[in-house]
Amino acid sequence: MSAVSRSYNPFDEDEEETRGGGEVCGAERQRYLQQEALHLSAATADSTARSLSLLYESERIGVAASEELIRQGEALKRTEQMVDKMDQDLKTSQRHINSIKSVFGGLVNYFKAKPPESKPEQNGIPEYYGNNRLKEAMMSSKDQDTKYQESHPNLRRLDNSDSDFSSIDSISSVQRDAYPKNQRLQAYHKKIDNNLDEMSSGLSRLKNLALGLQTEIEEQDDMLDRLTKKVEILDVGIKSTDKKIRQL
């Protein structure tokens, strides 16, 4: 009995309770860290989704600007053809005035080669499609219109939790090694990776749209310069023809 009483330590129970309490605190801390990781991953996934939605919206604005620029090019092309037609009519008028002024002028007009007549456009509307780079960029961006509707906050479903985690089972074993063991974290990380890939592709399409717009603007600038010179020449010819008419 004395041997048993000597080996008894009253603090052993306290040590066991402390050890057990430490294990409980460690498990709670682990659950807390897991929840924080989930919240952080969810916030990151939502942030990338919003950025992707803004990217799609910017793409739609770029397509709308491209379409408006092409309509402007059509108007410039139509105006240039009208100026060319006016210049041709003015030359014909000058020939008639020379015939009226003198017999010699009529003989000169008879032997002088007639200016070539321009063929009228079908339906009176010239075809204008813009440069090839802009057309290809617009077609590529228009294909993403459905994705824009799915990602827009006013158009997408409010509860998309099923779609976020429905693809967990489809993750291959190789991909699983790259993601955490927690399935919810796997889904969030997979969604973030997909959003980043889509953002990279969207930025590439936006770059092509910008380059196409730049090329189209440069071509239309050249068209405006050419049109300005033609209008100046036409104005001089009109004043000269008006002066000849007053002298008849």
Side-chain angles (χ1 to χ4, degrees):
M1 295 294 294
S2 60
V4 174
S5 61
R6 286 196 200 97
S7 63
Y8 174 74
N9 188 352
F11 296 102
D12 288 342
E13 296 179 358
D14 295 338
E15 290 180 358
E16 292 178 359
E17 292 178 358
T18 304
R19 194 179 305 112
E23 293 177 357
V24 172
C25 292
E28 290 180 354
R29 179 173 177 79
Q30 185 177 3
R31 283 195 298 270
Y32 171 77
L33 292 177
Q34 289 178 353
Q35 291 296 327
E36 286 296 316
L38 282 174
H39 291 324
L40 181 60
S41 298
T44 304
D46 291 340
S47 177
T48 54
R50 288 192 298 270
S51 300
L52 189 60
S53 177
L54 292 174
L55 189 62
Y56 287 145
E57 188 173 358
S58 301
E59 208 167 348
R60 281 175 66 94
I61 295 174
V63 171
S66 302
E67 292 174 347
E68 183 63 29
L69 192 62
I70 289 178
R71 284 193 291 269
Q72 177 178 305
E74 292 176 356
L76 288 175
K77 186 68 175 179
R78 189 181 301 111
T79 303
E80 186 176 12
Q81 290 189 347
M82 291 174 61
V83 171
D84 292 339
K85 183 65 168 57
M86 292 173 64
D87 183 67
Q88 183 180 353
D89 294 341
L90 184 63
K91 290 179 180 178
T92 303
S93 300
Q94 290 176 349
R95 287 170 56 86
H96 293 165
I97 292 172
N98 291 336
S99 299
I100 294 173
K101 287 179 66 175
S102 64
V103 178
F104 177 74
L107 292 174
V108 170
N109 289 334
Y110 180 78
F111 290 104
K112 188 177 181 180
K114 294 182 180 181
E117 297 181 358
S118 60
K119 297 181 180 180
E121 293 285 339
Q122 295 181 354
N123 300 328
I125 301 177
E127 296 182 354
Y128 185 85
Y129 300 105
N131 63 84
N132 293 329
R133 172 180 286 181
L134 183 59
K135 288 191 299 183
E136 293 176 357
M138 288 176 61
M139 292 178 61
S140 177
S141 295
K142 284 182 177 180
D143 293 340
Q144 310 301 317
D145 188 67
T146 55
K147 293 184 178 180
Y148 166 78
Q149 294 180 1
E150 293 173 357
S151 65
H152 197 278
N154 295 332
L155 301 177
R156 65 184 177 184
R157 295 184 305 170
L158 295 178
D159 185 11
N160 58 355
S161 58
D162 294 338
S163 61
D164 291 341
F165 303 105
S166 60
S167 59
I168 295 178
D169 296 335
S170 63
I171 302 177
S172 62
S173 59
V174 178
Q175 291 175 328
R176 285 182 184 275
D177 295 338
Y179 295 122
K181 300 301 181 181
N182 188 291
Q183 289 186 344
R184 292 176 63 87
L185 280 177
Q186 287 180 7
Y188 280 130
H189 287 190
K190 187 174 186 296
K191 182 178 179 181
I192 292 171
D193 290 344
N194 292 336
N195 288 343
L196 291 176
D197 291 340
E198 286 292 332
M199 288 172 64
S200 177
S201 301
L203 289 173
S204 178
R205 291 191 302 270
L206 275 178
K207 177 183 176 181
N208 292 333
L209 265 178
L211 293 175
L213 285 169
Q214 180 183 3
T215 303
E216 183 66 21
I217 290 173
E218 291 175 353
E219 291 180 359
Q220 291 192 18
D221 283 343
D222 295 338
M223 193 183 303
L224 281 172
D225 293 339
R226 187 170 62 249
L227 182 59
T228 301
K229 293 179 182 178
K230 289 183 178 181
V231 170
E232 291 175 353
I233 295 173
L234 182 63
D235 183 63
V236 173
I238 291 174
K239 291 179 179 179
S240 176
T241 303
D242 183 67
K243 183 178 180 180
K244 290 180 181 179
I245 291 175
R246 293 178 184 276
Q247 291 175 356
L248 290 178

